[in-house]
Amino acid sequence: MSDIDPKTQTELEAAVFRRLVAHLRGRTDVQNIDLMNLAGFCRNCLSNWLKDAADEKGVPITKDESREAVYGMPYDAWKAQHQTEASPAQQAGFAASQAKGH
């Protein structure tokens, strides 16, 4: 990708982010803890990274707004509709990944 100009690279990266967010919105069966256990990040991480990027650029965005941008709805509504109680195995996996520094 070294032959791609910076503007095009940014556009491609933005398209990938939008596609990832759309994919996660469609996969409400995949819980955040599953994402954390497998990949070390989740929807909340994405929303935090979005807020961090906005803060760096001086763009005013709240934590709730960044979460809604990722979840496609208010976070509390998403949790009420889609979040399930973490199983003991999921909790153990999360604890193990946190112990490794993820």
Side-chain angles (χ1 to χ4, degrees):
M1 286 191 38
S2 60
D3 295 340
I4 298 175
D5 65 275
K7 181 180 181 293
T8 301
Q9 181 173 343
T10 298
E11 291 169 354
L12 294 173
E13 292 166 349
V16 169
F17 174 78
R18 288 188 298 270
R19 188 169 178 179
L20 173 61
V21 167
H23 179 76
L24 290 174
R25 285 182 184 174
R27 289 298 311 267
T28 57
D29 59 309
V30 178
Q31 298 294 301
N32 280 335
I33 195 166
D34 296 324
L35 291 168
M36 287 297 296
N37 288 346
L38 180 64
F41 77 98
C42 68
R43 293 169 183 90
N44 288 338
C45 296
L46 287 175
S47 69
N48 291 340
W49 299 338
L50 178 60
K51 179 158 179 16
D52 291 346
D55 290 347
E56 287 176 17
K57 292 287 189 182
V59 176
I61 185 173
T62 67
K63 183 176 179 176
D64 288 338
E65 290 169 332
S66 67
R67 282 189 170 180
E68 190 166 340
V70 170
Y71 284 91
M73 64 180 67
Y75 179 57
D76 289 338
W78 191 93
K79 286 187 346 183
Q81 292 178 29
H82 304 294
Q83 188 167 310
T84 61
E85 189 69 33
S87 71
Q90 288 170 314
Q91 292 175 7
F94 183 76
S97 71
Q98 295 301 301
K100 292 179 187 175
H102 291 344

